[in-house]
Amino acid sequence: MEVRTRFAPSPTGYMHLGGMRTALYTYLFTRKNHGKFILRIEDTDQARYVEGATDVIYRTLKDIGLVWDEGPDVGGDYGPYIQSERKGMYLPYAQQLVRDGKAYYCFCTKEELDKRRAEAEAKGETFKYDKHCLNMPREEVERRLAAGEPYVIRQNVPTQGEASFDDIIFGHIAVDCSELDDMILIKADGMPTYNFANVIDDHTMGITHVMRGSEYLSSTPKYNLLYDAFGWEKPVYIHLTNIMRDAQHKLSKRTGDAYYEDYIAKGYLKDAILNYIALLGWNPGDDREFFTLDELIEAFSLEGLSKSPAIFDVNKLTWMNAEYIRRLEPNEFNRYAQPWYEKAGIDAMNKETLCRILQPRVEFFAQLPEMVDFLVKLDEEYDVAMFTNKKSKTNPEVSLGVLNMAIDALNALETWEEAAIHDTLIGLAEKNGLKNGTMLWPVRIALAGKQVTPGGAIEIAYLLGKDESLRRLELGRKKVLVA
Ligand code: GLU
C-alpha cells in the first residue's frame, strides 16, 4: 500500500509554528515511507479566509524545503486541491447520508437556536442541537426545500453507544454518543463544514495517514461515524500535541511569538527554525540535536513522537540559531546580514571585518543594529570611569599617556589598514614596555564609548576610518584630562 498523506492548512494568516511542525512531521513520515505528500487548502470557512494567506502557505513550505507531490499549483490525479473548488462534490455525499438516515435537513433559524441555547444555559445545561428537525415528514422537507428556505444538513449521531477511534500516539479514544452534537455537514451557504469536508476529501484523495493537531482528537470519533456510515476504510490517525509557551498557555497570536514569520523577521535562519521545531515533540532516540532536512527524514519515526505537550523555549531556539549562524561561510553570513547592515547604517563599512567581529556574537540578526550602534554614533556622554580597568592595568593617568601616543602615531599613518593599525598600536606597547591590553583598552573605550563591543580596538578603528577614529580618540583624551 502506498502511503498518502496531506497537509491541510486553512488560509487564515501567517504560518503558525504548530502548523509548520505538523507539515514537517507529515513530510518526514511520507518521505521516509516513499509515499506521496499532498497539499490541500481548506478554505470552506469563508469568514476566516485571509486574502493572500494561500500564497503565504506556498511560500513558507517552499522556503523550508517541504516539496508537495500533489497540490493546487502542481496538480495531481485527485484534484482540485482547494476545497472551495470542490464545493459541488460534497452535497451528493450528504444527500446519500440523508437517504440512509445518517443525516437530515435542518431548517432551524439562528434566532430559534439562540433562544433554545439561552434556555438551556439558564438551566445550567450545555446546549447541543436537540434533533428538532430529525423527524420532519418527507413532504414538509421537500416543500420547504422547493420553497427555497435556507437549510443545513446535520449528521444524525446515534443517541446511544460509543464512537471511537485509535490513534497512533493517544491510543484508543472513545466517547459516549450521548455527548456528541449533531454537527453540521453542509452549511446554509452550500459549503461543507471542515468536519465534513475533511472526511470526504481524505477518502476521495486516498489519504492513508492523517496527521494533525490534537485539537481534532475530540471530533475524530464523529468523523469515524461518517466513515462507518459510508462503509469506507478509515485512515491511520496521528494527532500531535500542542506547542505551548508554558505549562498553561499555547503559543498564541497575541504574544507575537507563534508564527514562523515572527522569527524570520527577527533574523532567525529558516534551517535553524526547522531544526528546532523538529525536536519539539519528537525525540530522535539519541542526543543528537543538529539535523538537516535530509537527516531528519533519515532519523524520523513515529515512535519518537511525544504524547505530552512540547514547551517552546525561545532561548533554546536562539542558542541553536547562533550555532547555525556561526557555521555560515563568511559570504553567506554577509548575505543574511546585508539588510541589517543597511538598517544599522553600516553598509559602507568593510564586510570582511564586520563578519569577523559579528559572526561569533550575533545570535539572531535583529540584534545586529544595537550591537553596532556605537560604530554609527558615539555616545559622547559615556562614563570616563571606564578608562580605569583593573585587568588591563589602566587608570586615568595611564590612559592619558596611551591616548596621546596613539593619537600621534595613528595620525602619522598613511594607509588605514588593519595590519598597519595593528603594527602601530602593538609597536607602541612594545616600545613602552606596556602590556597589549594596557595599550588597547583606553583606545577601544575612546573609540566605542562602551566596555563591551564586538571586535577590538584595531578592528573598530579600521571600520571607523582615520578621521572619525582620531576625532574620537581626541575626545577621549579631553575627557580623561578634565576628569
Ligand atoms: N484545516 C485544518 C486546520 O488548518 C486542518 C485539520 C486537518 O489536518 O485535518 O487546522
PDB file of all heavy atoms in Angstrom, residues 6 8-10 40 42 194 198 202 210-212 215-216, ligand 1:
ATOM      1  N   ARG A   6      -1.486  14.145   3.818  1.00  0.00           N
ATOM      2  CA  ARG A   6      -1.792  15.504   3.375  1.00  0.00           C
ATOM      3  C   ARG A   6      -1.461  16.490   4.467  1.00  0.00           C
ATOM      4  O   ARG A   6      -1.538  16.188   5.662  1.00  0.00           O
ATOM      5  CB  ARG A   6      -3.254  15.609   2.924  1.00  0.00           C
ATOM      6  CG  ARG A   6      -4.312  15.849   3.982  1.00  0.00           C
ATOM      7  CD  ARG A   6      -4.355  14.874   5.105  1.00  0.00           C
ATOM      8  NE  ARG A   6      -5.555  14.931   5.899  1.00  0.00           N
ATOM      9  CZ  ARG A   6      -5.759  15.735   6.946  1.00  0.00           C
ATOM     10  NH1 ARG A   6      -4.831  16.550   7.354  1.00  0.00           N
ATOM     11  NH2 ARG A   6      -6.899  15.714   7.620  1.00  0.00           N
ATOM     12  N   ALA A   8      -3.104  20.035   5.405  1.00  0.00           N
ATOM     13  CA  ALA A   8      -4.371  20.656   5.010  1.00  0.00           C
ATOM     14  C   ALA A   8      -4.616  21.971   5.727  1.00  0.00           C
ATOM     15  O   ALA A   8      -5.543  22.100   6.513  1.00  0.00           O
ATOM     16  CB  ALA A   8      -5.512  19.672   5.281  1.00  0.00           C
ATOM     17  N   PRO A   9      -3.776  22.955   5.490  1.00  0.00           N
ATOM     18  CA  PRO A   9      -3.936  24.207   6.230  1.00  0.00           C
ATOM     19  C   PRO A   9      -5.127  25.030   5.748  1.00  0.00           C
ATOM     20  O   PRO A   9      -5.553  24.897   4.605  1.00  0.00           O
ATOM     21  CB  PRO A   9      -2.629  24.949   5.917  1.00  0.00           C
ATOM     22  CG  PRO A   9      -2.250  24.455   4.557  1.00  0.00           C
ATOM     23  CD  PRO A   9      -2.679  23.012   4.516  1.00  0.00           C
ATOM     24  N   SER A  10      -5.642  25.844   6.644  1.00  0.00           N
ATOM     25  CA  SER A  10      -6.662  26.810   6.275  1.00  0.00           C
ATOM     26  C   SER A  10      -5.956  28.145   6.057  1.00  0.00           C
ATOM     27  O   SER A  10      -5.113  28.528   6.863  1.00  0.00           O
ATOM     28  CB  SER A  10      -7.689  26.938   7.402  1.00  0.00           C
ATOM     29  OG  SER A  10      -8.262  25.680   7.652  1.00  0.00           O
ATOM     30  N   ARG A  40      -3.403  20.364   0.564  1.00  0.00           N
ATOM     31  CA  ARG A  40      -4.821  20.666   0.331  1.00  0.00           C
ATOM     32  C   ARG A  40      -5.163  21.949   1.075  1.00  0.00           C
ATOM     33  O   ARG A  40      -4.857  22.089   2.261  1.00  0.00           O
ATOM     34  CB  ARG A  40      -5.675  19.514   0.856  1.00  0.00           C
ATOM     35  CG  ARG A  40      -7.152  19.725   0.621  1.00  0.00           C
ATOM     36  CD  ARG A  40      -7.937  18.476   0.938  1.00  0.00           C
ATOM     37  NE  ARG A  40      -8.171  18.291   2.357  1.00  0.00           N
ATOM     38  CZ  ARG A  40      -8.121  17.107   2.992  1.00  0.00           C
ATOM     39  NH1 ARG A  40      -7.823  16.009   2.326  1.00  0.00           N
ATOM     40  NH2 ARG A  40      -8.372  17.035   4.277  1.00  0.00           N
ATOM     41  N   GLU A  42      -7.756  24.261   2.784  1.00  0.00           N
ATOM     42  CA  GLU A  42      -9.094  24.114   3.370  1.00  0.00           C
ATOM     43  C   GLU A  42      -9.702  25.494   3.612  1.00  0.00           C
ATOM     44  O   GLU A  42      -9.533  26.084   4.679  1.00  0.00           O
ATOM     45  CB  GLU A  42      -9.002  23.295   4.653  1.00  0.00           C
ATOM     46  CG  GLU A  42      -8.377  21.930   4.377  1.00  0.00           C
ATOM     47  CD  GLU A  42      -8.796  20.841   5.342  1.00  0.00           C
ATOM     48  OE1 GLU A  42      -8.913  21.122   6.538  1.00  0.00           O
ATOM     49  OE2 GLU A  42      -9.000  19.706   4.870  1.00  0.00           O
ATOM     50  N   TYR A 194     -15.732  22.139   7.753  1.00  0.00           N
ATOM     51  CA  TYR A 194     -14.454  21.435   7.804  1.00  0.00           C
ATOM     52  C   TYR A 194     -14.684  19.983   8.197  1.00  0.00           C
ATOM     53  O   TYR A 194     -14.110  19.057   7.627  1.00  0.00           O
ATOM     54  CB  TYR A 194     -13.498  22.104   8.809  1.00  0.00           C
ATOM     55  CG  TYR A 194     -12.417  21.144   9.207  1.00  0.00           C
ATOM     56  CD1 TYR A 194     -11.381  20.851   8.325  1.00  0.00           C
ATOM     57  CD2 TYR A 194     -12.490  20.439  10.414  1.00  0.00           C
ATOM     58  CE1 TYR A 194     -10.442  19.887   8.638  1.00  0.00           C
ATOM     59  CE2 TYR A 194     -11.548  19.485  10.727  1.00  0.00           C
ATOM     60  CZ  TYR A 194     -10.532  19.211   9.839  1.00  0.00           C
ATOM     61  OH  TYR A 194      -9.613  18.251  10.134  1.00  0.00           O
ATOM     62  N   ASN A 198     -13.307  17.298   5.459  1.00  0.00           N
ATOM     63  CA  ASN A 198     -12.048  16.589   5.693  1.00  0.00           C
ATOM     64  C   ASN A 198     -12.228  15.087   5.503  1.00  0.00           C
ATOM     65  O   ASN A 198     -11.348  14.403   4.990  1.00  0.00           O
ATOM     66  CB  ASN A 198     -11.443  16.966   7.054  1.00  0.00           C
ATOM     67  CG  ASN A 198     -11.838  16.060   8.191  1.00  0.00           C
ATOM     68  OD1 ASN A 198     -11.179  15.066   8.480  1.00  0.00           O
ATOM     69  ND2 ASN A 198     -12.941  16.387   8.848  1.00  0.00           N
ATOM     70  N   ASP A 202     -10.366  13.342   2.515  1.00  0.00           N
ATOM     71  CA  ASP A 202      -9.362  12.335   2.864  1.00  0.00           C
ATOM     72  C   ASP A 202      -9.689  11.017   2.174  1.00  0.00           C
ATOM     73  O   ASP A 202      -8.806  10.321   1.667  1.00  0.00           O
ATOM     74  CB  ASP A 202      -9.279  12.142   4.389  1.00  0.00           C
ATOM     75  CG  ASP A 202      -8.550  13.301   5.070  1.00  0.00           C
ATOM     76  OD1 ASP A 202      -7.846  14.051   4.360  1.00  0.00           O
ATOM     77  OD2 ASP A 202      -8.672  13.454   6.300  1.00  0.00           O
ATOM     78  N   VAL A 210      -3.521  10.318   8.507  1.00  0.00           N
ATOM     79  CA  VAL A 210      -3.912  11.692   8.817  1.00  0.00           C
ATOM     80  C   VAL A 210      -3.105  12.163  10.023  1.00  0.00           C
ATOM     81  O   VAL A 210      -3.221  11.621  11.114  1.00  0.00           O
ATOM     82  CB  VAL A 210      -5.423  11.764   9.138  1.00  0.00           C
ATOM     83  CG1 VAL A 210      -5.784  13.100   9.761  1.00  0.00           C
ATOM     84  CG2 VAL A 210      -6.238  11.527   7.870  1.00  0.00           C
ATOM     85  N   MET A 211      -2.268  13.174   9.784  1.00  0.00           N
ATOM     86  CA  MET A 211      -1.534  13.787  10.895  1.00  0.00           C
ATOM     87  C   MET A 211      -2.075  15.181  11.070  1.00  0.00           C
ATOM     88  O   MET A 211      -2.163  15.949  10.102  1.00  0.00           O
ATOM     89  CB  MET A 211      -0.045  13.915  10.529  1.00  0.00           C
ATOM     90  CG  MET A 211       0.826  12.873  11.133  1.00  0.00           C
ATOM     91  SD  MET A 211       2.545  13.422  11.091  1.00  0.00           S
ATOM     92  CE  MET A 211       3.316  11.837  10.925  1.00  0.00           C
ATOM     93  N   ARG A 212      -2.445  15.522  12.296  1.00  0.00           N
ATOM     94  CA  ARG A 212      -2.939  16.880  12.536  1.00  0.00           C
ATOM     95  C   ARG A 212      -2.876  17.185  14.020  1.00  0.00           C
ATOM     96  O   ARG A 212      -2.507  16.329  14.830  1.00  0.00           O
ATOM     97  CB  ARG A 212      -4.360  17.025  11.992  1.00  0.00           C
ATOM     98  CG  ARG A 212      -5.352  16.155  12.698  1.00  0.00           C
ATOM     99  CD  ARG A 212      -6.769  16.357  12.136  1.00  0.00           C
ATOM    100  NE  ARG A 212      -7.609  15.228  12.511  1.00  0.00           N
ATOM    101  CZ  ARG A 212      -8.518  14.668  11.725  1.00  0.00           C
ATOM    102  NH1 ARG A 212      -8.742  15.113  10.516  1.00  0.00           N
ATOM    103  NH2 ARG A 212      -9.231  13.640  12.154  1.00  0.00           N
ATOM    104  N   GLU A 215      -6.116  19.239  18.672  1.00  0.00           N
ATOM    105  CA  GLU A 215      -7.434  19.856  18.860  1.00  0.00           C
ATOM    106  C   GLU A 215      -8.526  19.070  18.121  1.00  0.00           C
ATOM    107  O   GLU A 215      -9.703  19.259  18.363  1.00  0.00           O
ATOM    108  CB  GLU A 215      -7.435  21.335  18.449  1.00  0.00           C
ATOM    109  CG  GLU A 215      -7.112  21.645  17.012  1.00  0.00           C
ATOM    110  CD  GLU A 215      -5.612  21.827  16.748  1.00  0.00           C
ATOM    111  OE1 GLU A 215      -4.792  21.246  17.494  1.00  0.00           O
ATOM    112  OE2 GLU A 215      -5.255  22.522  15.783  1.00  0.00           O
ATOM    113  N   TYR A 216      -8.116  18.178  17.206  1.00  0.00           N
ATOM    114  CA  TYR A 216      -9.112  17.387  16.474  1.00  0.00           C
ATOM    115  C   TYR A 216      -9.389  16.032  17.117  1.00  0.00           C
ATOM    116  O   TYR A 216     -10.208  15.264  16.617  1.00  0.00           O
ATOM    117  CB  TYR A 216      -8.674  17.210  15.010  1.00  0.00           C
ATOM    118  CG  TYR A 216      -8.683  18.532  14.286  1.00  0.00           C
ATOM    119  CD1 TYR A 216      -7.517  19.246  14.089  1.00  0.00           C
ATOM    120  CD2 TYR A 216      -9.884  19.085  13.862  1.00  0.00           C
ATOM    121  CE1 TYR A 216      -7.531  20.491  13.476  1.00  0.00           C
ATOM    122  CE2 TYR A 216      -9.916  20.319  13.239  1.00  0.00           C
ATOM    123  CZ  TYR A 216      -8.732  21.018  13.047  1.00  0.00           C
ATOM    124  OH  TYR A 216      -8.766  22.235  12.446  1.00  0.00           O
TER     125      TYR A 216
HETATM  126  N1  GLU B   1      -7.698  22.889   8.040  1.00  0.00           N
HETATM  127  C1  GLU B   1      -7.394  22.355   9.331  1.00  0.00           C
HETATM  128  C2  GLU B   1      -6.526  23.355  10.091  1.00  0.00           C
HETATM  129  O1  GLU B   1      -5.928  24.205   9.487  1.00  0.00           O
HETATM  130  C3  GLU B   1      -6.619  21.072   9.162  1.00  0.00           C
HETATM  131  C4  GLU B   1      -7.029  19.975  10.056  1.00  0.00           C
HETATM  132  C5  GLU B   1      -6.622  18.619   9.488  1.00  0.00           C
HETATM  133  O2  GLU B   1      -5.445  18.456   9.153  1.00  0.00           O
HETATM  134  O3  GLU B   1      -7.486  17.756   9.350  1.00  0.00           O
HETATM  135  O4  GLU B   1      -6.472  23.283  11.297  1.00  0.00           O
END
